[in-house]
Amino acid sequence: RHYALDQVAYERRTLLFGGPYLMALTGIASAIGNGRCRQAAQRAAAPQWRPLGPLRIVVTSQRLLVWFEQAWWSVWYSAVTDIRPDPANRALDLYFDTDPPYRLVGPHVPALAVMLANEILGLVPPVP
């Protein structure tokens, strides 16, 4: 799914030693290091594609049933606002109004894209 993380933990470190000049230099170096760690944590928390792992998906006439975390989850076709196939990468992106998008990737995704285009959009895209 494409979503942001609420929090990413990072460790702040401060190292001060020596006389006044050396202490000032080590304090500045610690501040620079902490800034880099904070920026890395912000990049990790930013919205991006995050893998959910292998999923079992069942296609029905009104929804996709997705087996995830030992339970079936429903992806209703009526909630899908857009589908974008990527045949080169065998990927399919499903977009929603209120939820983060899904990206499905795998060898059977092109066939799934045709089925979903027919069910959701009421059309079958041309075969490349």
Side-chain angles (χ1 to χ4, degrees):
R1 294 199 76 172
H2 190 273
Y3 61 94
L5 294 178
D6 293 334
Q7 293 182 347
V8 174
Y10 71 96
E11 188 175 327
R12 292 185 59 178
R13 296 181 182 180
T14 303
L15 176 65
L16 300 173
F17 64 89
Y21 295 113
L22 190 55
M23 191 177 294
L25 287 175
T26 58
I28 290 170
S30 293
I32 291 171
N34 287 333
R36 288 183 182 159
C37 287
R38 184 178 58 252
Q39 289 174 348
Q42 287 172 340
R43 282 192 301 273
Q48 57 187 293
W49 289 110
R50 300 182 190 281
L52 299 177
L55 301 172
R56 183 181 311 154
I57 299 174
V58 177
V59 180
T60 71
S61 62
Q62 296 180 358
R63 63 184 171 167
L64 293 177
L65 291 171
V66 180
W67 181 254
F68 178 64
E69 294 181 344
Q70 304 301 314
W72 287 104
W73 296 72
S74 293
V75 178
W76 293 94
Y77 298 152
S78 59
V80 177
T81 58
D82 192 16
I83 60 173
R84 296 181 192 163
D86 182 3
N89 295 316
R90 293 186 175 179
L92 175 68
D93 298 340
L94 303 175
Y95 291 88
F96 308 92
D97 278 334
T98 57
D99 291 328
Y102 280 132
R103 169 170 278 180
L104 304 173
V105 179
H108 302 292
V109 168
L112 178 64
V114 172
M115 285 188 277
L116 291 181
N118 188 35
E119 289 294 332
I120 296 171
L121 302 177
L123 58 96
V124 177
V127 177

